[in-house]
Amino acid sequence: MRESKINRIKNMAVKGTMTLAVRRIILRVVDMAGMIFLARLLTQSEFGIFGIINFIVFTLFGFLSNIGLGASLIQKKEKIEKDDLSTVFSVQLILVLFLNVLAWVLSPWLVNAYNLSHSAIWLMRVTAFCLILTSFKTIPSVLLEKELLYHKLLIPDVVETISFNFLAVILAYFHFGVWSLTIALIVRTFLGAIILFIVSSWPIIFKISKKSLKDLLSFGLPYQANSLLALLKDNLTPTIIAFFYGPAAVGFVNLAQGIASKPMEITNVVNRVVFPTFSKIQNNREQVARWMEKGIKMMSYLYLPLVFGLLVTARPILTLVYASKSDKWLPSLSALYPFLIGALPVVMTTTATNVLYALGYSKTVLRLMVIYTALTWVVGIPLIIKIGYSGIAWAGMAVGVLSVVLVLRELKKVKVEFSLRRAMMVPFWASLLMAITIYWPTKIYVRNIPGLLGMVILGAMFYVFYLFLFLRGRIREEANLFLNLLPKK
C-alpha cells in the first residue's frame, strides 16, 4: 500500500476521531446533566424497571433483529452494491416487525417473570416500537462510517441526546415516573431516524439478494454470535439480580455501571474509528501495530487518570452529585469500585478486539468471548448469591484482568505485536500516584460540590506534575505523539 494512501486514511481517521471526540464530550455532558436530574427526580425502582424493559427490548429482541449484517458492510473489502444495502435493510425490517409481534404477545409473561407491575406490559410494547425506527438508521449510519464521515453523524446524535434528556427531565418533574424515560426514548429514536435519513439519504428498496445475504452472513454470523456471548456476559444485572434482589438493586448496579463507563467514552470515540480504519490497511500488519500502540498510548494519557480519579471521588459523587447530600444512591458504591478497577484494561482490550475484527478474525474474537462469558457466569452467579448484587462487578473485574492476557496472545498469533508497557506504564503510574495523593484530602475535606470540583482540579494538577517527573527529557517526544496525529493538509 502506497504511503500517500496510508497518510490519506490516517488523516480521515484522525478527523473522524476529532469529530467524534468533540461530539462525545458535548453529548456526554448533556447525558450526565440529564442523569443527575433524573437520579434526583426518580426512585431507584423506577430506574431499575426502565433498565429491565430496555434489557428485554433492546438487548434480547434487539439482538435478534441484528445478525451482524451492518458490521459486514463496514468490514467488506469490495465496493458496497445496491443489492447489499437493500438486503440488509429488508432482512432487518422483517426481523423487527416479527419481534414487535413477539413482544406484544409475550409481554404479559415477561413482566410476570420479572415480578413487575401490570403497567409494565404497555411499557414493553411501546418501547419495542423503537426497534422499527432503529432499522431505518442502519444503512445511513453504515454508509457514513464506511467512509469515515463521522462529522455527518453529529447532527442526529446531538438532536437525539438533547431531546431525550430534556423531555425525560420535564416529564419526570411532572411525575410521569418511568414513562418519562419511555416517551423520551420514542421521541429520540424517531427524530434520529428522520434526521439521519436526511443527512445520508439512500433509495429505500425492499429486496433480498441471496448472493449478497450469503456473502454478508459469512462475516456477520460469527460477529453476531460474539454479540450474543457479550449479551450473556454483560447482562447478569437485569436477569439474575432482578430475580434475587428486585428492581431497586438493578437501579443501583446500572448507576454504578453508568458512572464506571464514563471514561470509556474516550475509547468508544477512537474504537468507533478503529474498525473501518484498520479494515482499510489490514494487509500492512506493521502499520497496524504501530498505529495501535500510538492510539492506546494517546487514550491512556486521558483515560487512566479519569478511572483512578473516579475511584477516589466515588463516594462524594454518589452523595453530592446524584443525590442532595443523602445516601439515596450510596448502595451503588459496593459495585462501583470493582467496576472501575475492571475498567482499567478496557483502554487496550477494546482496541485490540476491534483490530482483530478489522483484520477479519471474527472467529478469534468469538472464541475469546466464549471464555469471557463462561467465566462471568461461573464466577458471577455464585458471587451474586453469596455477597449480593455487587458480585456481578467483581466477576467483571476478574474477566477484565484475564482479557489482557488472552487478547495479547491472539494479537501475537496474527503478527500484530506492540509494547503494552511502552503504551501504558507512564500514564498508569502517574494516575496511581495522583489518586494516592488526593485520597486523604478528598476523604477529609470534600463536603459539598465546590469542594469536589476543587479536588478534581487539584488531582489534575498532581497528574500533570507526575507526568513531568516520569517523562523528563521525553516530554517533547510525547507531545509530538499528539501533534503527529493531527491531519496534514
Side-chain angles (χ1 to χ4, degrees), residues 345-428:
V346 167
V347 69
M348 186 280 289
T349 54
T350 55
T351 302
T353 300
N354 276 284
V355 167
L356 289 171
Y357 270 137
L359 300 181
Y361 293 99
S362 58
K363 292 180 181 178
T364 297
V365 180
L366 176 59
R367 187 171 64 253
L368 291 175
M369 193 56 66
V370 169
I371 298 172
Y372 301 158
T373 304
L375 182 62
T376 299
W377 282 79
V378 169
V379 176
I381 294 178
L383 284 177
I384 290 171
I385 297 172
K386 182 70 176 178
I387 66 175
Y389 52 80
S390 64
I392 183 58
W394 291 102
M397 186 179 73
V399 171
V401 173
L402 178 65
S403 65
V404 175
V405 178
L406 295 181
V407 81
L408 285 176
R409 186 182 66 178
E410 294 301 330
L411 285 173
K412 189 174 182 179
K413 287 181 181 178
V414 300
K415 302 185 186 309
V416 177
E417 299 185 44
F418 72 103
S419 172
L420 182 61
R421 181 190 62 80
R422 196 164 54 228
M424 295 183 63
M425 281 302 99
V426 170
F428 175 85

Coordinates of all heavy atoms in Angstrom, one line a residue, residues 345-428:
P345 N -8.3 -2.2 32.1 CA -7.7 -2.8 30.9 C -8.5 -2.4 29.6 O -8.0 -2.7 28.5 CB -7.8 -4.3 31.2 CG -8.1 -4.4 32.6 CD -8.9 -3.2 33.0
V346 N -9.7 -1.8 29.8 CA -10.5 -1.6 28.6 C -9.8 -0.7 27.5 O -10.0 -0.9 26.3 CB -11.8 -0.9 29.0 CG1 -12.6 -0.4 27.9 CG2 -12.7 -1.9 29.8
V347 N -9.0 0.2 28.0 CA -8.3 1.1 27.0 C -7.5 0.3 26.0 O -7.3 0.7 24.9 CB -7.4 2.1 27.8 CG1 -6.2 1.4 28.4 CG2 -6.9 3.2 26.9
M348 N -7.0 -0.9 26.4 CA -6.3 -1.7 25.5 C -7.1 -2.8 24.9 O -7.1 -3.0 23.7 CB -5.1 -2.4 26.2 CG -4.1 -3.2 25.3 SD -4.6 -4.8 24.9 CE -4.4 -5.7 26.4
T349 N -7.9 -3.5 25.7 CA -8.6 -4.7 25.2 C -9.7 -4.4 24.1 O -9.8 -5.2 23.2 CB -9.3 -5.5 26.4 OG1 -10.1 -4.6 27.1 CG2 -8.2 -6.1 27.3
T350 N -10.4 -3.3 24.3 CA -11.4 -3.0 23.3 C -10.8 -2.6 22.0 O -11.3 -3.0 20.9 CB -12.3 -1.8 23.8 OG1 -11.5 -0.7 24.1 CG2 -13.2 -2.3 24.9
T351 N -9.7 -1.9 22.0 CA -8.9 -1.5 20.8 C -8.4 -2.8 20.1 O -8.6 -3.0 18.9 CB -7.8 -0.6 21.1 OG1 -8.2 0.6 21.8 CG2 -7.0 -0.2 19.8
A352 N -7.8 -3.7 20.9 CA -7.3 -4.9 20.3 C -8.4 -5.8 19.7 O -8.3 -6.4 18.6 CB -6.6 -5.7 21.4
T353 N -9.6 -5.8 20.4 CA -10.7 -6.6 19.8 C -11.2 -6.0 18.5 O -11.4 -6.8 17.5 CB -11.9 -6.6 20.8 OG1 -11.4 -7.2 22.0 CG2 -13.1 -7.4 20.3
N354 N -11.3 -4.7 18.4 CA -11.7 -4.1 17.1 C -10.6 -4.3 16.0 O -11.0 -4.4 14.9 CB -11.9 -2.6 17.4 CG -13.3 -2.3 17.9 OD1 -14.3 -2.4 17.2 ND2 -13.4 -2.1 19.2
V355 N -9.4 -4.3 16.4 CA -8.3 -4.6 15.4 C -8.5 -6.0 14.9 O -8.4 -6.3 13.7 CB -6.9 -4.4 16.0 CG1 -5.8 -5.0 15.1 CG2 -6.7 -2.9 16.3
L356 N -8.7 -7.0 15.8 CA -9.0 -8.4 15.3 C -10.2 -8.5 14.4 O -10.1 -9.2 13.4 CB -9.2 -9.3 16.5 CG -7.9 -9.6 17.4 CD1 -8.3 -10.3 18.6 CD2 -6.9 -10.4 16.6
Y357 N -11.2 -7.7 14.7 CA -12.4 -7.7 13.8 C -12.0 -7.1 12.5 O -12.4 -7.6 11.4 CB -13.5 -6.8 14.4 CG -14.5 -7.5 15.3 CD1 -14.9 -7.0 16.5 CD2 -15.0 -8.8 14.9 CE1 -15.8 -7.7 17.3 CE2 -15.9 -9.4 15.7 CZ -16.3 -8.9 16.9 OH -17.2 -9.5 17.7
A358 N -11.3 -6.0 12.5 CA -10.9 -5.3 11.2 C -10.0 -6.2 10.4 O -10.1 -6.1 9.1 CB -10.2 -4.0 11.6
L359 N -9.2 -7.0 11.0 CA -8.4 -7.9 10.2 C -9.1 -9.2 9.7 O -8.5 -10.0 9.1 CB -7.1 -8.3 11.0 CG -6.2 -7.2 11.5 CD1 -5.1 -7.7 12.3 CD2 -5.7 -6.3 10.3
G360 N -10.4 -9.3 10.1 CA -11.2 -10.4 9.6 C -11.2 -11.6 10.6 O -11.8 -12.6 10.2
Y361 N -10.7 -11.5 11.8 CA -10.6 -12.6 12.7 C -11.8 -12.6 13.7 O -11.7 -12.6 14.9 CB -9.3 -12.6 13.5 CG -8.1 -12.8 12.7 CD1 -7.3 -11.7 12.2 CD2 -7.7 -14.1 12.3 CE1 -6.2 -11.9 11.4 CE2 -6.6 -14.3 11.5 CZ -5.8 -13.2 11.1 OH -4.7 -13.4 10.3
S362 N -13.0 -12.6 13.1 CA -14.2 -12.6 13.9 C -14.4 -13.9 14.7 O -14.9 -13.9 15.8 CB -15.5 -12.4 13.1 OG -15.6 -13.4 12.1
K363 N -13.9 -15.0 14.2 CA -14.0 -16.3 14.9 C -13.0 -16.3 16.1 O -13.3 -16.9 17.1 CB -13.7 -17.4 14.0 CG -14.7 -17.6 12.9 CD -14.4 -18.8 12.0 CE -15.5 -18.9 10.9 NZ -15.2 -20.1 10.0
T364 N -11.9 -15.6 16.0 CA -11.0 -15.5 17.1 C -11.6 -14.7 18.3 O -11.6 -15.1 19.4 CB -9.7 -14.8 16.7 OG1 -9.0 -15.6 15.7 CG2 -8.8 -14.6 17.9
V365 N -12.3 -13.6 17.9 CA -13.0 -12.8 18.9 C -14.1 -13.7 19.5 O -14.4 -13.6 20.7 CB -13.5 -11.5 18.3 CG1 -14.3 -10.7 19.4 CG2 -12.4 -10.7 17.7
L366 N -14.8 -14.4 18.7 CA -15.9 -15.3 19.2 C -15.3 -16.3 20.2 O -15.9 -16.5 21.3 CB -16.5 -16.1 18.0 CG -17.6 -17.1 18.4 CD1 -18.7 -16.4 19.1 CD2 -18.1 -17.8 17.1
R367 N -14.2 -16.9 20.0 CA -13.6 -17.8 20.9 C -13.2 -17.1 22.2 O -13.5 -17.7 23.3 CB -12.3 -18.4 20.3 CG -11.7 -19.6 21.1 CD -10.6 -20.3 20.4 NE -9.5 -19.5 20.1 CZ -9.2 -19.0 18.9 NH1 -9.9 -19.3 17.8 NH2 -8.1 -18.3 18.7
L368 N -12.7 -15.9 22.1 CA -12.4 -15.2 23.4 C -13.6 -14.9 24.2 O -13.7 -15.0 25.4 CB -11.7 -13.9 23.0 CG -10.2 -14.0 22.5 CD1 -9.7 -12.6 22.0 CD2 -9.3 -14.6 23.5
M369 N -14.7 -14.5 23.4 CA -15.9 -14.2 24.1 C -16.6 -15.4 24.8 O -17.2 -15.2 25.8 CB -16.9 -13.5 23.1 CG -18.1 -12.8 23.8 SD -17.6 -11.6 25.0 CE -16.8 -10.4 24.0
V370 N -16.4 -16.5 24.2 CA -16.9 -17.8 24.9 C -16.2 -17.9 26.3 O -16.9 -18.2 27.3 CB -16.6 -19.0 24.0 CG1 -16.8 -20.3 24.8 CG2 -17.4 -19.0 22.8
I371 N -14.9 -17.7 26.3 CA -14.2 -17.8 27.6 C -14.7 -16.7 28.6 O -14.9 -17.0 29.7 CB -12.7 -17.6 27.3 CG1 -12.2 -18.8 26.4 CG2 -11.9 -17.6 28.6 CD1 -10.7 -18.6 26.0
Y372 N -14.8 -15.5 28.1 CA -15.2 -14.4 29.0 C -16.6 -14.6 29.5 O -16.9 -14.4 30.7 CB -15.3 -13.0 28.2 CG -14.0 -12.6 27.6 CD1 -13.9 -11.7 26.5 CD2 -12.7 -13.1 28.1 CE1 -12.8 -11.2 26.0 CE2 -11.5 -12.6 27.5 CZ -11.6 -11.7 26.5 OH -10.4 -11.3 25.9
T373 N -17.5 -15.1 28.7 CA -18.9 -15.4 29.1 C -19.0 -16.5 30.1 O -19.7 -16.4 31.1 CB -19.8 -15.7 27.9 OG1 -19.7 -14.7 26.9 CG2 -21.2 -15.9 28.3
A374 N -18.3 -17.6 29.8 CA -18.3 -18.7 30.7 C -17.8 -18.3 32.1 O -18.4 -18.6 33.1 CB -17.5 -19.9 30.2
L375 N -16.7 -17.5 32.1 CA -16.1 -17.1 33.4 C -17.0 -16.2 34.1 O -17.2 -16.3 35.4 CB -14.8 -16.4 33.1 CG -14.0 -15.9 34.4 CD1 -13.6 -17.1 35.3 CD2 -12.7 -15.2 34.0
T376 N -17.7 -15.2 33.4 CA -18.6 -14.3 34.0 C -19.8 -15.0 34.7 O -20.1 -14.7 35.9 CB -19.2 -13.3 33.0 OG1 -18.1 -12.6 32.4 CG2 -20.1 -12.3 33.6
W377 N -20.3 -16.0 34.1 CA -21.5 -16.7 34.7 C -21.0 -17.7 35.8 O -21.7 -17.8 36.8 CB -22.2 -17.5 33.6 CG -23.1 -16.6 32.8 CD1 -22.8 -15.7 31.8 CD2 -24.5 -16.4 33.0 NE1 -23.8 -15.0 31.4 CE2 -25.0 -15.4 32.1 CE3 -25.5 -16.9 33.9 CZ2 -26.3 -15.0 32.0 CZ3 -26.8 -16.5 33.8 CH2 -27.2 -15.6 32.8
V378 N -19.9 -18.4 35.5 CA -19.4 -19.3 36.5 C -19.0 -18.6 37.8 O -19.3 -19.1 38.9 CB -18.2 -20.2 36.0 CG1 -17.6 -21.0 37.1 CG2 -18.7 -21.1 34.9
V379 N -18.4 -17.5 37.7 CA -18.0 -16.7 38.9 C -19.1 -15.8 39.4 O -19.3 -15.7 40.6 CB -16.7 -15.9 38.6 CG1 -16.3 -15.0 39.7 CG2 -15.5 -16.8 38.2
G380 N -19.8 -15.2 38.4 CA -20.7 -14.1 38.8 C -21.9 -14.6 39.6 O -22.3 -14.0 40.6
I381 N -22.6 -15.7 39.1 CA -23.8 -16.2 39.8 C -23.5 -16.6 41.3 O -24.3 -16.1 42.2 CB -24.4 -17.4 39.0 CG1 -24.9 -16.9 37.7 CG2 -25.6 -18.0 39.8 CD1 -25.5 -17.9 36.8
P382 N -22.5 -17.4 41.6 CA -22.2 -17.7 43.0 C -21.9 -16.4 43.8 O -22.4 -16.3 44.9 CB -21.0 -18.6 42.9 CG -21.0 -19.2 41.6 CD -21.6 -18.1 40.7
L383 N -21.2 -15.4 43.2 CA -20.9 -14.2 43.9 C -22.1 -13.4 44.2 O -22.3 -12.8 45.3 CB -19.9 -13.4 43.1 CG -18.4 -13.9 43.2 CD1 -17.5 -13.0 42.3 CD2 -17.9 -13.9 44.6
I384 N -23.0 -13.3 43.2 CA -24.3 -12.6 43.4 C -25.1 -13.2 44.5 O -25.7 -12.5 45.4 CB -25.1 -12.6 42.1 CG1 -24.4 -11.7 41.0 CG2 -26.5 -12.1 42.3 CD1 -25.0 -11.8 39.6
I385 N -25.2 -14.5 44.5 CA -25.9 -15.2 45.6 C -25.2 -15.0 46.9 O -25.9 -14.8 48.0 CB -26.1 -16.7 45.2 CG1 -26.9 -16.8 43.9 CG2 -26.7 -17.5 46.4 CD1 -27.0 -18.3 43.4
K386 N -23.9 -15.1 47.0 CA -23.2 -15.1 48.2 C -23.0 -13.7 48.8 O -23.3 -13.5 50.0 CB -21.8 -15.7 48.0 CG -20.9 -15.7 49.2 CD -21.4 -16.8 50.2 CE -20.4 -16.9 51.3 NZ -20.9 -17.9 52.3
I387 N -22.6 -12.7 48.0 CA -22.3 -11.3 48.6 C -23.3 -10.3 48.1 O -23.2 -9.1 48.6 CB -20.9 -10.9 48.2 CG1 -20.7 -10.7 46.7 CG2 -19.8 -11.9 48.7 CD1 -19.4 -10.1 46.3
G388 N -24.2 -10.6 47.2 CA -25.2 -9.6 46.8 C -25.0 -9.1 45.4 O -24.2 -9.7 44.7
Y389 N -25.7 -8.0 45.0 CA -25.7 -7.6 43.6 C -24.3 -7.1 43.2 O -24.0 -7.1 42.0 CB -26.8 -6.5 43.4 CG -26.7 -5.4 44.3 CD1 -25.8 -4.3 44.2 CD2 -27.6 -5.3 45.4 CE1 -25.7 -3.3 45.0 CE2 -27.6 -4.2 46.3 CZ -26.6 -3.2 46.1 OH -26.6 -2.1 47.0
S390 N -23.4 -6.7 44.1 CA -22.1 -6.3 43.7 C -21.3 -7.4 43.2 O -20.2 -7.2 42.6 CB -21.4 -5.6 44.9 OG -21.2 -6.5 45.9
G391 N -21.7 -8.7 43.3 CA -21.0 -9.8 42.8 C -20.7 -9.8 41.4 O -19.7 -10.2 40.9
I392 N -21.7 -9.2 40.6 CA -21.5 -9.1 39.2 C -20.3 -8.2 38.8 O -19.6 -8.4 37.8 CB -22.8 -8.5 38.5 CG1 -22.6 -8.5 37.0 CG2 -23.2 -7.2 39.0 CD1 -22.3 -9.8 36.3
A393 N -20.1 -7.2 39.6 CA -19.0 -6.2 39.4 C -17.6 -6.9 39.6 O -16.7 -6.7 38.9 CB -19.1 -5.0 40.3
W394 N -17.6 -7.7 40.7 CA -16.3 -8.5 41.0 C -16.0 -9.5 39.9 O -14.9 -9.7 39.5 CB -16.4 -9.1 42.4 CG -16.4 -8.1 43.5 CD1 -17.5 -7.7 44.2 CD2 -15.3 -7.5 44.0 NE1 -17.1 -6.8 45.1 CE2 -15.7 -6.6 45.0 CE3 -13.9 -7.5 43.7 CZ2 -14.9 -5.8 45.7 CZ3 -13.0 -6.7 44.4 CH2 -13.5 -5.8 45.4
A395 N -17.1 -10.1 39.4 CA -16.9 -11.1 38.3 C -16.4 -10.4 37.0 O -15.5 -10.9 36.4 CB -18.2 -11.8 38.0
G396 N -16.9 -9.2 36.8 CA -16.4 -8.4 35.6 C -15.0 -8.0 35.8 O -14.3 -7.9 34.8
M397 N -14.6 -7.7 37.0 CA -13.2 -7.3 37.2 C -12.2 -8.5 36.9 O -11.2 -8.3 36.3 CB -13.0 -6.9 38.7 CG -11.6 -6.3 39.0 SD -11.5 -5.8 40.7 CE -11.4 -7.4 41.5
A398 N -12.6 -9.7 37.3 CA -11.8 -10.9 37.0 C -11.7 -11.1 35.5 O -10.6 -11.4 35.0 CB -12.5 -12.1 37.7
V399 N -12.8 -10.9 34.8 CA -12.8 -11.1 33.3 C -11.9 -10.0 32.7 O -11.2 -10.3 31.7 CB -14.2 -11.0 32.8 CG1 -14.2 -11.0 31.2 CG2 -15.0 -12.2 33.2
G400 N -11.9 -8.8 33.2 CA -11.1 -7.7 32.7 C -9.6 -8.0 32.8 O -8.9 -7.8 31.8
V401 N -9.2 -8.6 33.9 CA -7.8 -9.0 34.1 C -7.4 -10.1 33.1 O -6.4 -10.0 32.5 CB -7.5 -9.4 35.5 CG1 -6.1 -9.9 35.7 CG2 -7.8 -8.2 36.5
L402 N -8.2 -11.1 33.0 CA -7.9 -12.2 32.1 C -7.9 -11.8 30.7 O -7.1 -12.3 29.9 CB -9.0 -13.3 32.3 CG -8.8 -14.6 31.4 CD1 -7.5 -15.3 31.8 CD2 -10.0 -15.5 31.6
S403 N -8.7 -10.9 30.3 CA -8.8 -10.5 28.9 C -7.5 -9.9 28.4 O -7.2 -10.0 27.2 CB -10.0 -9.5 28.7 OG -9.7 -8.3 29.4
V404 N -6.8 -9.2 29.3 CA -5.5 -8.7 28.8 C -4.5 -9.8 28.3 O -3.9 -9.7 27.3 CB -4.8 -7.9 30.0 CG1 -3.4 -7.4 29.6 CG2 -5.7 -6.7 30.4
V405 N -4.4 -10.8 29.1 CA -3.5 -11.9 28.8 C -3.9 -12.6 27.5 O -3.1 -12.8 26.6 CB -3.5 -13.0 29.9 CG1 -2.6 -14.1 29.5 CG2 -3.0 -12.3 31.2
L406 N -5.2 -12.9 27.4 CA -5.7 -13.6 26.2 C -5.6 -12.8 24.9 O -5.3 -13.3 23.9 CB -7.2 -14.1 26.5 CG -7.4 -15.1 27.6 CD1 -8.8 -15.4 27.8 CD2 -6.5 -16.3 27.4
V407 N -6.0 -11.6 25.0 CA -6.0 -10.8 23.7 C -4.6 -10.5 23.3 O -4.4 -10.4 22.0 CB -6.9 -9.5 24.0 CG1 -6.0 -8.4 24.7 CG2 -7.4 -8.9 22.6
L408 N -3.7 -10.3 24.2 CA -2.3 -10.1 23.7 C -1.7 -11.3 23.0 O -1.0 -11.2 22.1 CB -1.4 -9.8 25.0 CG -1.5 -8.3 25.5 CD1 -0.7 -8.2 26.8 CD2 -1.1 -7.3 24.5
R409 N -2.1 -12.5 23.5 CA -1.7 -13.7 22.9 C -2.3 -13.9 21.5 O -1.5 -14.3 20.6 CB -2.2 -14.9 23.8 CG -1.6 -16.3 23.3 CD -2.2 -17.4 24.1 NE -3.6 -17.6 24.0 CZ -4.3 -18.5 24.6 NH1 -3.7 -19.4 25.4 NH2 -5.6 -18.6 24.4
E410 N -3.5 -13.5 21.3 CA -4.1 -13.6 20.0 C -3.5 -12.6 19.0 O -3.3 -12.9 17.8 CB -5.6 -13.4 20.1 CG -6.4 -14.4 20.8 CD -6.2 -15.8 20.3 OE1 -6.0 -15.9 19.0 OE2 -6.2 -16.8 21.0
L411 N -3.2 -11.4 19.5 CA -2.5 -10.4 18.6 C -1.2 -10.9 18.1 O -0.8 -10.7 17.0 CB -2.4 -9.1 19.3 CG -3.7 -8.3 19.5 CD1 -3.4 -7.0 20.4 CD2 -4.2 -7.8 18.1
K412 N -0.5 -11.6 19.0 CA 0.8 -12.1 18.7 C 0.7 -13.2 17.6 O 1.5 -13.3 16.7 CB 1.5 -12.7 19.9 CG 3.0 -13.1 19.7 CD 3.6 -13.5 21.0 CE 5.1 -13.8 20.8 NZ 5.8 -14.2 22.0
K413 N -0.3 -14.0 17.7 CA -0.5 -15.0 16.7 C -0.7 -14.5 15.3 O -0.3 -15.1 14.3 CB -1.8 -15.9 17.1 CG -1.5 -16.8 18.3 CD -2.8 -17.6 18.5 CE -2.6 -18.5 19.7 NZ -3.9 -19.3 20.0
V414 N -1.4 -13.3 15.2 CA -1.7 -12.7 13.9 C -0.7 -11.7 13.5 O -0.9 -10.9 12.6 CB -3.1 -12.1 13.8 CG1 -4.2 -13.2 14.1 CG2 -3.3 -11.0 14.8
K415 N 0.5 -11.7 14.2 CA 1.6 -10.8 13.9 C 1.3 -9.3 14.0 O 1.8 -8.5 13.2 CB 2.1 -11.2 12.5 CG 2.5 -12.6 12.3 CD 3.1 -12.9 10.9 CE 3.4 -14.4 10.7 NZ 4.1 -15.0 11.7
V416 N 0.5 -9.0 15.0 CA 0.4 -7.6 15.4 C 0.9 -7.5 16.8 O 0.3 -7.7 17.8 CB -1.1 -7.2 15.4 CG1 -1.3 -5.7 15.8 CG2 -1.7 -7.4 14.0
E417 N 2.2 -7.1 16.9 CA 2.9 -7.1 18.1 C 3.3 -5.6 18.5 O 3.8 -4.9 17.7 CB 4.2 -7.9 18.1 CG 3.9 -9.4 17.8 CD 5.1 -10.2 17.9 OE1 5.9 -10.0 18.8 OE2 5.3 -11.1 17.0
F418 N 3.0 -5.3 19.8 CA 3.3 -3.9 20.2 C 3.7 -4.0 21.7 O 3.5 -5.1 22.3 CB 2.1 -3.0 20.1 CG 0.9 -3.3 21.0 CD1 0.7 -2.5 22.1 CD2 0.1 -4.4 20.8 CE1 -0.3 -2.8 23.0 CE2 -0.9 -4.6 21.7 CZ -1.1 -3.8 22.8
S419 N 4.2 -3.0 22.3 CA 4.6 -3.0 23.7 C 3.6 -2.3 24.6 O 3.3 -1.1 24.5 CB 6.0 -2.2 23.8 OG 6.3 -2.0 25.2
L420 N 2.9 -3.2 25.4 CA 1.9 -2.7 26.3 C 2.6 -1.8 27.4 O 2.0 -0.8 27.8 CB 1.2 -3.9 27.0 CG 0.1 -3.5 28.0 CD1 -1.0 -2.8 27.3 CD2 -0.5 -4.8 28.6
R421 N 3.8 -2.2 27.8 CA 4.5 -1.4 28.8 C 4.8 0.0 28.2 O 4.5 1.0 28.9 CB 5.8 -2.0 29.2 CG 6.6 -1.3 30.2 CD 8.0 -1.9 30.4 NE 8.7 -1.8 29.1 CZ 9.4 -0.7 28.7 NH1 9.3 0.4 29.4 NH2 10.0 -0.7 27.6
R422 N 5.3 0.1 27.0 CA 5.6 1.4 26.4 C 4.3 2.2 26.2 O 4.4 3.4 26.3 CB 6.3 1.1 25.1 CG 7.0 2.3 24.5 CD 8.0 1.9 23.4 NE 7.3 1.1 22.3 CZ 7.8 0.0 21.9 NH1 9.0 -0.5 22.4 NH2 7.2 -0.7 20.9
A423 N 3.2 1.6 25.9 CA 2.0 2.3 25.7 C 1.3 2.8 26.9 O 0.7 3.9 26.9 CB 1.0 1.4 24.9
M424 N 1.4 2.1 28.1 CA 0.5 2.4 29.2 C 1.2 2.7 30.5 O 0.6 3.3 31.4 CB -0.5 1.3 29.4 CG -1.5 1.1 28.3 SD -2.7 -0.2 28.7 CE -3.5 0.4 30.1
M425 N 2.5 2.4 30.7 CA 3.1 2.5 32.0 C 3.2 3.9 32.6 O 2.9 4.1 33.7 CB 4.5 1.8 32.0 CG 4.4 0.3 32.0 SD 3.6 -0.4 33.5 CE 1.9 -0.8 32.8
V426 N 3.6 4.9 31.8 CA 3.8 6.2 32.3 C 2.4 6.8 32.8 O 2.3 7.3 33.9 CB 4.4 7.1 31.3 CG1 4.4 8.6 31.7 CG2 5.9 6.7 31.1
P427 N 1.4 6.8 31.9 CA 0.1 7.3 32.4 C -0.5 6.5 33.6 O -1.2 7.0 34.4 CB -0.8 7.2 31.2 CG -0.1 6.3 30.2 CD 1.3 6.4 30.5
F428 N -0.2 5.2 33.6 CA -0.7 4.3 34.7 C -0.1 4.8 36.0 O -0.8 5.0 37.0 CB -0.4 2.9 34.4 CG -0.8 2.0 35.6 CD1 -2.1 1.5 35.7 CD2 0.2 1.6 36.6 CE1 -2.4 0.6 36.7 CE2 -0.2 0.8 37.6 CZ -1.5 0.3 37.7

